[in-house]
Amino acid sequence: MRLKDMLEDSGTTDQVKKVLSGLPEDGKKAIDNFFDYTSAYNMHGSKDRFLEKLSFLPNEDRILYHYTTVDSVKAILKSRTWFIKQKGFMNDHKELFYTIELVKTILTELKATPDEINVFDKILKTTPIGDTYIWSFTENKASQTLFGNYSVNSNGIALGLNSSQIEKELFTHFSHGKDSSEFFTNGDAYSFALKVVYDEKIQRESLEPIVKEWMLAYRGLKAMPKDRKVILTNCLTTISFFALCFKNPLLRQEEEIRFVITYNGEVNKNYSEKTIDGVPYVTCEVSDFLIREAIIQTGSSITVSRFKNELREYGFGSIRVSESELPY
């Protein structure tokens, strides 16, 4: 419904019509954008559209690779437990601030005042989206970059997992057996897969309508504080979700796909189950059939036959083991 429709609607009270009519132009535009389903803001600003646009769709034929070390693989298989890291402790500790800085650049381009930018910065950095954990993968089974990032002395391993099975395992585990998120209560967690976006043009196309709506509402809806708060909160929450999958273009060689686990419940509560060297993790059981293959880094001192024997000792003899195709 557009603003003009609200003003003409017989169900809108005279008092509301008076307030809407008296809004400054920025406020009228903010209301119009928020309630018009076809507006640029709504094309980018809802969580459903966010997930529809940026989701990675797992299926039985899509294998994803998780890069780690031989020692980590042994620890994982011995304990039969995955450790999934809290979002603030990823390898690039600045990654969640990348989106914030890009938004501040957009605000500057939209002629926001320094005070408005400072308000945005302060609020967004404290906007909670629930305790969130990230598990990183790629479809590239021969990434020299990732072997380099996640190995020491050429002891890297790329574990190949069926993407559809990852999705099922995470949902079952973090929903605590519930059939649908409709029945979630405090302590249950949503899980979904996202393609990391490294293209700044796409990032801007997604962010600019939301940033503009935030600025219009912040400036123009002081006379409607409740509506203003709803719009500002929606904008900031959506931007926070974008920050989960927007990364610096210089890191595009990672080709990352990530499974995100975000908890339903108290937004300021830490749901981590284990802390290792100061890093919070949640855990998930390793099933016998989840890992399909293991690719040994080129130049590794461990042989295929030796690693196969070690996998059998841990009860994972069905995993295919091979050497990387990379020449070095």
Side-chain angles (χ1 to χ4, degrees), residues 118-132:
N118 287 336
V119 167
F120 166 85
D121 187 42
K122 182 178 179 180
I123 297 175
L124 183 57
K125 285 179 179 176
T126 57
T127 296
I129 60 169
D131 195 25
T132 301

Side-chain angles (χ1 to χ4, degrees), residues 100-301:
I100 293 176
E101 293 305 312
L102 180 55
V103 169
K104 287 162 68 175
T105 298
I106 294 170
L107 281 168
T108 300
E109 293 168 354
L110 292 172
K111 310 300 183 187
T113 67
D115 284 346
E116 288 170 336
I117 294 172
N118 287 336
V119 167
F120 166 85
D121 187 42
K122 182 178 179 180
I123 297 175
L124 183 57
K125 285 179 179 176
T126 57
T127 296
I129 60 169
D131 195 25
T132 301
Y133 297 78
I134 293 173
W135 197 9
S136 297
F137 294 87
T138 178
E139 288 190 281
N140 186 351
K141 66 179 181 179
S143 172
Q144 194 173 55
T145 295
L146 294 177
F147 271 129
N149 286 351
Y150 295 98
S151 68
V152 179
N153 299 323
S154 299
N155 70 342
I157 295 283
L159 292 178
L161 286 72
N162 180 281
S163 61
S164 180
Q165 197 61 46
I166 299 169
E167 181 181 49
K168 292 174 184 175
E169 295 270 325
L170 291 179
F171 180 83
T172 300
H173 179 82
F174 289 102
S175 70
H176 301 104
K178 295 181 174 67
D179 294 331
S180 168
S181 59
E182 293 178 27
F183 307 112
F184 278 14
T185 56
N186 286 0
D188 297 324
Y190 303 91
S191 56
F192 47 90
L194 297 174
K195 297 173 286 189
V196 171
V197 177
Y198 302 95
D199 188 325
E200 186 177 332
K201 180 181 178 182
I202 296 174
Q203 294 170 355
R204 281 176 167 271
E205 286 174 352
S206 301
L207 288 169
E208 284 176 359
I210 303 167
V211 176
K212 187 173 183 179
E213 177 70 1
W214 183 91
M215 194 168 76
L216 291 171
Y218 183 78
R219 288 178 174 178
L221 291 179
K222 292 178 182 178
M224 300 176 65
K226 290 183 179 179
D227 299 84
R228 184 189 195 219
K229 183 177 180 180
V230 167
I231 294 176
L232 295 181
T233 300
N234 279 14
C235 290
L236 292 167
T237 301
T238 303
I239 291 170
S240 295
F241 270 94
F242 278 128
L244 293 174
C245 63
F246 285 178
K247 292 186 74 171
N248 190 318
L250 295 175
L251 301 175
R252 65 176 68 248
Q253 67 272 17
E254 294 178 352
E255 305 171 275
E256 186 180 356
I257 292 163
R258 49 180 42 171
F259 279 84
V260 177
I261 299 149
T262 187
Y263 276 85
N264 181 61
E266 300 174 50
V267 292
N268 294 317
K269 183 172 180 179
N270 184 330
Y271 286 90
S272 63
E273 300 167 24
K274 193 174 184 67
T275 300
I276 303 173
D277 296 330
V279 179
Y281 294 85
V282 289
T283 62
C284 185
E285 182 182 356
V286 179
S287 61
D288 293 341
F289 47 83
L290 183 59
I291 306 172
R292 301 296 179 87
E293 64 178 314
I295 300 172
I296 300 172
Q297 183 178 5
T298 303
S300 176
S301 60

